[in-house]
Structure formats: C-alpha cells, structure tokens
Amino acid sequence: VGVWHTGVQLYGAFEVTFGGHPGDFTGVFTTPPRAVPLPLFESINLGPLSKSVDEVRKILETMAAEYTG
C-alpha cells in the first residue's frame, strides 16, 4: 500500500488534499470533509488552529501555486 494523497480537515469545514499527478496543475485542493474522490482510510480533524480561516486559505493559495503534484 502506497501513500497516494494526504488530506487534513481544517476547522471541521473543509479538507485540504495534497496529491501527486502527471498534469501541469496544482496538487493542492480543498473539498468538503470526506468528499475527496480518492480512497480514504481515515479522516482526522486537526482541531483549533492559531491562524484564521482567511490566513490559512492564503497560505494554501501560495502552496497551490508552487506545488503542481
């Protein structure tokens, strides 16, 4: 069994998934919790975070631009 993608739930509101692929587009995307269209073994909510939702979304936008899978 390999690790093909990793996702974490943030704020109980969305899941951020990091996945590899051969395409020329981001490998970072968000979905509602447990809605990622890939096999899911376990879903863990990270709980309270020190950053606001907007701050986290800005960080994710930067990551998405830099990581193409």
Side-chain angles (χ1 to χ4, degrees):
V1 174
V3 177
W4 301 105
H5 86 281
T6 301
V8 293
Q9 268 188 52
L10 301 175
Y11 306 102
F14 59 94
E15 183 172 284
V16 181
T17 301
F18 306 84
H21 56 75
D24 189 24
F25 52 91
T26 187
V28 179
F29 56 96
T30 62
T31 62
R34 301 188 62 89
V36 66
L38 301 166
L40 180 65
F41 293 101
E42 185 174 7
S43 181
I44 300 172
N45 187 341
L46 288 183
L49 301 175
S50 62
K51 302 224 180 270
S52 71
V53 172
D54 288 336
E55 290 173 312
V56 170
R57 286 191 187 275
K58 286 179 184 175
I59 292 168
L60 292 171
E61 287 174 9
T62 300
M63 291 174 64
E66 296 174 0
Y67 179 71
T68 58

PDB file of all heavy atoms in Angstrom, residues 15-43:
ATOM      1  N   GLU A  15     -11.550  19.999   3.792  1.00  0.00           N
ATOM      2  CA  GLU A  15     -10.387  19.111   3.817  1.00  0.00           C
ATOM      3  C   GLU A  15      -9.424  19.573   2.739  1.00  0.00           C
ATOM      4  O   GLU A  15      -9.827  19.847   1.611  1.00  0.00           O
ATOM      5  CB  GLU A  15     -10.818  17.674   3.533  1.00  0.00           C
ATOM      6  CG  GLU A  15      -9.682  16.679   3.602  1.00  0.00           C
ATOM      7  CD  GLU A  15     -10.181  15.256   3.510  1.00  0.00           C
ATOM      8  OE1 GLU A  15     -10.708  14.767   4.519  1.00  0.00           O
ATOM      9  OE2 GLU A  15     -10.055  14.665   2.432  1.00  0.00           O
ATOM     10  N   VAL A  16      -8.165  19.689   3.100  1.00  0.00           N
ATOM     11  CA  VAL A  16      -7.122  20.071   2.159  1.00  0.00           C
ATOM     12  C   VAL A  16      -6.392  18.796   1.777  1.00  0.00           C
ATOM     13  O   VAL A  16      -5.942  18.043   2.636  1.00  0.00           O
ATOM     14  CB  VAL A  16      -6.129  21.064   2.788  1.00  0.00           C
ATOM     15  CG1 VAL A  16      -5.067  21.467   1.777  1.00  0.00           C
ATOM     16  CG2 VAL A  16      -6.856  22.270   3.330  1.00  0.00           C
ATOM     17  N   THR A  17      -6.294  18.557   0.482  1.00  0.00           N
ATOM     18  CA  THR A  17      -5.666  17.345  -0.014  1.00  0.00           C
ATOM     19  C   THR A  17      -4.438  17.703  -0.833  1.00  0.00           C
ATOM     20  O   THR A  17      -4.460  18.643  -1.625  1.00  0.00           O
ATOM     21  CB  THR A  17      -6.661  16.551  -0.882  1.00  0.00           C
ATOM     22  OG1 THR A  17      -7.792  16.235  -0.076  1.00  0.00           O
ATOM     23  CG2 THR A  17      -6.047  15.266  -1.388  1.00  0.00           C
ATOM     24  N   PHE A  18      -3.367  16.940  -0.625  1.00  0.00           N
ATOM     25  CA  PHE A  18      -2.128  17.094  -1.366  1.00  0.00           C
ATOM     26  C   PHE A  18      -1.933  15.805  -2.146  1.00  0.00           C
ATOM     27  O   PHE A  18      -1.820  14.743  -1.543  1.00  0.00           O
ATOM     28  CB  PHE A  18      -0.946  17.292  -0.406  1.00  0.00           C
ATOM     29  CG  PHE A  18      -1.149  18.433   0.565  1.00  0.00           C
ATOM     30  CD1 PHE A  18      -1.856  18.244   1.734  1.00  0.00           C
ATOM     31  CD2 PHE A  18      -0.628  19.681   0.288  1.00  0.00           C
ATOM     32  CE1 PHE A  18      -2.048  19.286   2.635  1.00  0.00           C
ATOM     33  CE2 PHE A  18      -0.814  20.726   1.176  1.00  0.00           C
ATOM     34  CZ  PHE A  18      -1.523  20.534   2.351  1.00  0.00           C
ATOM     35  N   GLY A  19      -1.930  15.892  -3.454  1.00  0.00           N
ATOM     36  CA  GLY A  19      -1.818  14.671  -4.248  1.00  0.00           C
ATOM     37  C   GLY A  19      -0.896  14.843  -5.435  1.00  0.00           C
ATOM     38  O   GLY A  19      -0.752  15.930  -5.973  1.00  0.00           O
ATOM     39  N   GLY A  20      -0.301  13.761  -5.837  1.00  0.00           N
ATOM     40  CA  GLY A  20       0.568  13.772  -6.998  1.00  0.00           C
ATOM     41  C   GLY A  20      -0.177  13.374  -8.255  1.00  0.00           C
ATOM     42  O   GLY A  20      -1.160  12.634  -8.200  1.00  0.00           O
ATOM     43  N   HIS A  21       0.268  13.880  -9.392  1.00  0.00           N
ATOM     44  CA  HIS A  21      -0.317  13.563 -10.690  1.00  0.00           C
ATOM     45  C   HIS A  21       0.650  14.025 -11.776  1.00  0.00           C
ATOM     46  O   HIS A  21       1.553  14.817 -11.510  1.00  0.00           O
ATOM     47  CB  HIS A  21      -1.688  14.230 -10.847  1.00  0.00           C
ATOM     48  CG  HIS A  21      -1.633  15.719 -10.658  1.00  0.00           C
ATOM     49  ND1 HIS A  21      -1.118  16.566 -11.611  1.00  0.00           N
ATOM     50  CD2 HIS A  21      -1.993  16.503  -9.625  1.00  0.00           C
ATOM     51  CE1 HIS A  21      -1.173  17.811 -11.176  1.00  0.00           C
ATOM     52  NE2 HIS A  21      -1.695  17.789  -9.955  1.00  0.00           N
ATOM     53  N   PRO A  22       0.492  13.558 -12.993  1.00  0.00           N
ATOM     54  CA  PRO A  22       1.406  13.945 -14.063  1.00  0.00           C
ATOM     55  C   PRO A  22       1.027  15.263 -14.746  1.00  0.00           C
ATOM     56  O   PRO A  22       1.748  15.741 -15.616  1.00  0.00           O
ATOM     57  CB  PRO A  22       1.293  12.780 -15.048  1.00  0.00           C
ATOM     58  CG  PRO A  22      -0.102  12.286 -14.859  1.00  0.00           C
ATOM     59  CD  PRO A  22      -0.390  12.462 -13.392  1.00  0.00           C
ATOM     60  N   GLY A  23      -0.088  15.870 -14.386  1.00  0.00           N
ATOM     61  CA  GLY A  23      -0.557  17.081 -15.057  1.00  0.00           C
ATOM     62  C   GLY A  23       0.212  18.326 -14.655  1.00  0.00           C
ATOM     63  O   GLY A  23       1.006  18.325 -13.713  1.00  0.00           O
ATOM     64  N   ASP A  24      -0.032  19.412 -15.387  1.00  0.00           N
ATOM     65  CA  ASP A  24       0.614  20.698 -15.114  1.00  0.00           C
ATOM     66  C   ASP A  24      -0.373  21.623 -14.401  1.00  0.00           C
ATOM     67  O   ASP A  24      -0.699  22.699 -14.883  1.00  0.00           O
ATOM     68  CB  ASP A  24       1.109  21.316 -16.427  1.00  0.00           C
ATOM     69  CG  ASP A  24       1.970  22.534 -16.178  1.00  0.00           C
ATOM     70  OD1 ASP A  24       2.555  22.639 -15.090  1.00  0.00           O
ATOM     71  OD2 ASP A  24       2.033  23.402 -17.074  1.00  0.00           O
ATOM     72  N   PHE A  25      -0.895  21.178 -13.275  1.00  0.00           N
ATOM     73  CA  PHE A  25      -1.805  21.969 -12.467  1.00  0.00           C
ATOM     74  C   PHE A  25      -1.570  21.606 -11.016  1.00  0.00           C
ATOM     75  O   PHE A  25      -0.856  20.656 -10.716  1.00  0.00           O
ATOM     76  CB  PHE A  25      -3.268  21.766 -12.886  1.00  0.00           C
ATOM     77  CG  PHE A  25      -3.694  20.315 -12.957  1.00  0.00           C
ATOM     78  CD1 PHE A  25      -4.254  19.690 -11.854  1.00  0.00           C
ATOM     79  CD2 PHE A  25      -3.514  19.585 -14.125  1.00  0.00           C
ATOM     80  CE1 PHE A  25      -4.632  18.361 -11.921  1.00  0.00           C
ATOM     81  CE2 PHE A  25      -3.899  18.257 -14.195  1.00  0.00           C
ATOM     82  CZ  PHE A  25      -4.455  17.639 -13.097  1.00  0.00           C
ATOM     83  N   THR A  26      -2.148  22.347 -10.118  1.00  0.00           N
ATOM     84  CA  THR A  26      -1.848  22.178  -8.700  1.00  0.00           C
ATOM     85  C   THR A  26      -2.214  20.788  -8.165  1.00  0.00           C
ATOM     86  O   THR A  26      -3.156  20.162  -8.643  1.00  0.00           O
ATOM     87  CB  THR A  26      -2.535  23.265  -7.853  1.00  0.00           C
ATOM     88  OG1 THR A  26      -2.072  23.130  -6.496  1.00  0.00           O
ATOM     89  CG2 THR A  26      -4.043  23.134  -7.871  1.00  0.00           C
ATOM     90  N   GLY A  27      -1.452  20.375  -7.179  1.00  0.00           N
ATOM     91  CA  GLY A  27      -1.738  19.134  -6.476  1.00  0.00           C
ATOM     92  C   GLY A  27      -2.349  19.408  -5.115  1.00  0.00           C
ATOM     93  O   GLY A  27      -2.495  18.524  -4.291  1.00  0.00           O
ATOM     94  N   VAL A  28      -2.701  20.677  -4.862  1.00  0.00           N
ATOM     95  CA  VAL A  28      -3.309  21.085  -3.596  1.00  0.00           C
ATOM     96  C   VAL A  28      -4.734  21.531  -3.894  1.00  0.00           C
ATOM     97  O   VAL A  28      -4.961  22.414  -4.715  1.00  0.00           O
ATOM     98  CB  VAL A  28      -2.533  22.258  -2.961  1.00  0.00           C
ATOM     99  CG1 VAL A  28      -3.192  22.705  -1.658  1.00  0.00           C
ATOM    100  CG2 VAL A  28      -1.082  21.893  -2.732  1.00  0.00           C
ATOM    101  N   PHE A  29      -5.706  20.898  -3.250  1.00  0.00           N
ATOM    102  CA  PHE A  29      -7.085  21.308  -3.467  1.00  0.00           C
ATOM    103  C   PHE A  29      -7.910  21.064  -2.223  1.00  0.00           C
ATOM    104  O   PHE A  29      -7.508  20.328  -1.336  1.00  0.00           O
ATOM    105  CB  PHE A  29      -7.703  20.621  -4.691  1.00  0.00           C
ATOM    106  CG  PHE A  29      -7.663  19.114  -4.649  1.00  0.00           C
ATOM    107  CD1 PHE A  29      -8.754  18.396  -4.203  1.00  0.00           C
ATOM    108  CD2 PHE A  29      -6.535  18.420  -5.064  1.00  0.00           C
ATOM    109  CE1 PHE A  29      -8.733  17.017  -4.169  1.00  0.00           C
ATOM    110  CE2 PHE A  29      -6.503  17.036  -5.029  1.00  0.00           C
ATOM    111  CZ  PHE A  29      -7.599  16.332  -4.587  1.00  0.00           C
ATOM    112  N   THR A  30      -9.066  21.725  -2.147  1.00  0.00           N
ATOM    113  CA  THR A  30      -9.939  21.576  -0.987  1.00  0.00           C
ATOM    114  C   THR A  30     -11.285  20.996  -1.413  1.00  0.00           C
ATOM    115  O   THR A  30     -11.743  21.209  -2.532  1.00  0.00           O
ATOM    116  CB  THR A  30     -10.173  22.919  -0.273  1.00  0.00           C
ATOM    117  OG1 THR A  30     -10.816  23.834  -1.149  1.00  0.00           O
ATOM    118  CG2 THR A  30      -8.876  23.521   0.229  1.00  0.00           C
ATOM    119  N   THR A  31     -11.879  20.261  -0.488  1.00  0.00           N
ATOM    120  CA  THR A  31     -13.208  19.681  -0.676  1.00  0.00           C
ATOM    121  C   THR A  31     -13.920  19.733   0.672  1.00  0.00           C
ATOM    122  O   THR A  31     -13.281  19.957   1.704  1.00  0.00           O
ATOM    123  CB  THR A  31     -13.133  18.198  -1.114  1.00  0.00           C
ATOM    124  OG1 THR A  31     -12.492  17.446  -0.080  1.00  0.00           O
ATOM    125  CG2 THR A  31     -12.387  18.020  -2.419  1.00  0.00           C
ATOM    126  N   PRO A  32     -15.220  19.505   0.685  1.00  0.00           N
ATOM    127  CA  PRO A  32     -15.881  19.318   1.983  1.00  0.00           C
ATOM    128  C   PRO A  32     -15.260  18.098   2.681  1.00  0.00           C
ATOM    129  O   PRO A  32     -14.710  17.211   2.002  1.00  0.00           O
ATOM    130  CB  PRO A  32     -17.339  19.039   1.599  1.00  0.00           C
ATOM    131  CG  PRO A  32     -17.506  19.658   0.256  1.00  0.00           C
ATOM    132  CD  PRO A  32     -16.176  19.472  -0.429  1.00  0.00           C
ATOM    133  N   PRO A  33     -15.315  18.017   3.997  1.00  0.00           N
ATOM    134  CA  PRO A  33     -14.728  16.877   4.698  1.00  0.00           C
ATOM    135  C   PRO A  33     -15.222  15.535   4.144  1.00  0.00           C
ATOM    136  O   PRO A  33     -16.407  15.365   3.877  1.00  0.00           O
ATOM    137  CB  PRO A  33     -15.183  17.066   6.148  1.00  0.00           C
ATOM    138  CG  PRO A  33     -15.360  18.540   6.280  1.00  0.00           C
ATOM    139  CD  PRO A  33     -15.903  18.982   4.939  1.00  0.00           C
ATOM    140  N   ARG A  34     -14.294  14.626   3.928  1.00  0.00           N
ATOM    141  CA  ARG A  34     -14.534  13.252   3.475  1.00  0.00           C
ATOM    142  C   ARG A  34     -15.165  13.169   2.077  1.00  0.00           C
ATOM    143  O   ARG A  34     -15.721  12.161   1.712  1.00  0.00           O
ATOM    144  CB  ARG A  34     -15.376  12.481   4.491  1.00  0.00           C
ATOM    145  CG  ARG A  34     -14.712  12.410   5.864  1.00  0.00           C
ATOM    146  CD  ARG A  34     -15.434  11.497   6.817  1.00  0.00           C
ATOM    147  NE  ARG A  34     -15.458  10.118   6.347  1.00  0.00           N
ATOM    148  CZ  ARG A  34     -14.535   9.197   6.599  1.00  0.00           C
ATOM    149  NH1 ARG A  34     -13.489   9.509   7.315  1.00  0.00           N
ATOM    150  NH2 ARG A  34     -14.662   7.977   6.132  1.00  0.00           N
ATOM    151  N   ALA A  35     -15.060  14.236   1.292  1.00  0.00           N
ATOM    152  CA  ALA A  35     -15.652  14.231  -0.044  1.00  0.00           C
ATOM    153  C   ALA A  35     -14.611  14.079  -1.151  1.00  0.00           C
ATOM    154  O   ALA A  35     -14.963  14.121  -2.315  1.00  0.00           O
ATOM    155  CB  ALA A  35     -16.446  15.513  -0.269  1.00  0.00           C
ATOM    156  N   VAL A  36     -13.352  13.913  -0.793  1.00  0.00           N
ATOM    157  CA  VAL A  36     -12.307  13.759  -1.812  1.00  0.00           C
ATOM    158  C   VAL A  36     -12.598  12.509  -2.647  1.00  0.00           C
ATOM    159  O   VAL A  36     -12.969  11.472  -2.111  1.00  0.00           O
ATOM    160  CB  VAL A  36     -10.902  13.700  -1.161  1.00  0.00           C
ATOM    161  CG1 VAL A  36     -10.725  12.476  -0.319  1.00  0.00           C
ATOM    162  CG2 VAL A  36      -9.819  13.797  -2.210  1.00  0.00           C
ATOM    163  N   PRO A  37     -12.464  12.599  -3.976  1.00  0.00           N
ATOM    164  CA  PRO A  37     -12.816  11.460  -4.835  1.00  0.00           C
ATOM    165  C   PRO A  37     -11.695  10.416  -4.947  1.00  0.00           C
ATOM    166  O   PRO A  37     -11.421   9.904  -6.014  1.00  0.00           O
ATOM    167  CB  PRO A  37     -13.096  12.130  -6.179  1.00  0.00           C
ATOM    168  CG  PRO A  37     -12.188  13.306  -6.174  1.00  0.00           C
ATOM    169  CD  PRO A  37     -12.152  13.784  -4.741  1.00  0.00           C
ATOM    170  N   LEU A  38     -11.057  10.137  -3.844  1.00  0.00           N
ATOM    171  CA  LEU A  38      -9.971   9.154  -3.781  1.00  0.00           C
ATOM    172  C   LEU A  38     -10.230   8.226  -2.593  1.00  0.00           C
ATOM    173  O   LEU A  38     -10.968   8.590  -1.674  1.00  0.00           O
ATOM    174  CB  LEU A  38      -8.617   9.857  -3.608  1.00  0.00           C
ATOM    175  CG  LEU A  38      -8.228  10.852  -4.702  1.00  0.00           C
ATOM    176  CD1 LEU A  38      -7.060  11.703  -4.235  1.00  0.00           C
ATOM    177  CD2 LEU A  38      -7.882  10.136  -5.994  1.00  0.00           C
ATOM    178  N   PRO A  39      -9.615   7.057  -2.560  1.00  0.00           N
ATOM    179  CA  PRO A  39      -9.805   6.176  -1.394  1.00  0.00           C
ATOM    180  C   PRO A  39      -9.388   6.881  -0.100  1.00  0.00           C
ATOM    181  O   PRO A  39      -8.353   7.541  -0.060  1.00  0.00           O
ATOM    182  CB  PRO A  39      -8.889   4.991  -1.681  1.00  0.00           C
ATOM    183  CG  PRO A  39      -8.681   5.018  -3.155  1.00  0.00           C
ATOM    184  CD  PRO A  39      -8.743   6.464  -3.567  1.00  0.00           C
ATOM    185  N   LEU A  40     -10.209   6.787   0.906  1.00  0.00           N
ATOM    186  CA  LEU A  40      -9.949   7.448   2.179  1.00  0.00           C
ATOM    187  C   LEU A  40      -9.940   6.408   3.286  1.00  0.00           C
ATOM    188  O   LEU A  40     -10.913   5.704   3.489  1.00  0.00           O
ATOM    189  CB  LEU A  40     -11.035   8.496   2.461  1.00  0.00           C
ATOM    190  CG  LEU A  40     -10.930   9.281   3.753  1.00  0.00           C
ATOM    191  CD1 LEU A  40      -9.683  10.159   3.733  1.00  0.00           C
ATOM    192  CD2 LEU A  40     -12.172  10.137   3.949  1.00  0.00           C
ATOM    193  N   PHE A  41      -8.823   6.314   4.001  1.00  0.00           N
ATOM    194  CA  PHE A  41      -8.706   5.337   5.078  1.00  0.00           C
ATOM    195  C   PHE A  41      -9.118   5.927   6.412  1.00  0.00           C
ATOM    196  O   PHE A  41      -9.687   5.266   7.250  1.00  0.00           O
ATOM    197  CB  PHE A  41      -7.285   4.794   5.164  1.00  0.00           C
ATOM    198  CG  PHE A  41      -6.904   3.974   3.974  1.00  0.00           C
ATOM    199  CD1 PHE A  41      -6.125   4.513   2.967  1.00  0.00           C
ATOM    200  CD2 PHE A  41      -7.354   2.674   3.829  1.00  0.00           C
ATOM    201  CE1 PHE A  41      -5.795   3.762   1.855  1.00  0.00           C
ATOM    202  CE2 PHE A  41      -7.037   1.916   2.725  1.00  0.00           C
ATOM    203  CZ  PHE A  41      -6.242   2.463   1.728  1.00  0.00           C
ATOM    204  N   GLU A  42      -8.796   7.189   6.624  1.00  0.00           N
ATOM    205  CA  GLU A  42      -9.102   7.806   7.902  1.00  0.00           C
ATOM    206  C   GLU A  42      -9.182   9.314   7.715  1.00  0.00           C
ATOM    207  O   GLU A  42      -8.456   9.886   6.921  1.00  0.00           O
ATOM    208  CB  GLU A  42      -8.005   7.476   8.919  1.00  0.00           C
ATOM    209  CG  GLU A  42      -8.283   7.959  10.310  1.00  0.00           C
ATOM    210  CD  GLU A  42      -7.240   7.483  11.322  1.00  0.00           C
ATOM    211  OE1 GLU A  42      -6.235   6.894  10.906  1.00  0.00           O
ATOM    212  OE2 GLU A  42      -7.454   7.712  12.507  1.00  0.00           O
ATOM    213  N   SER A  43     -10.066   9.955   8.444  1.00  0.00           N
ATOM    214  CA  SER A  43     -10.217  11.402   8.406  1.00  0.00           C
ATOM    215  C   SER A  43     -10.037  11.933   9.813  1.00  0.00           C
ATOM    216  O   SER A  43     -10.745  11.508  10.725  1.00  0.00           O
ATOM    217  CB  SER A  43     -11.599  11.769   7.858  1.00  0.00           C
ATOM    218  OG  SER A  43     -11.753  13.157   7.797  1.00  0.00           O
TER     219      SER A  43
END
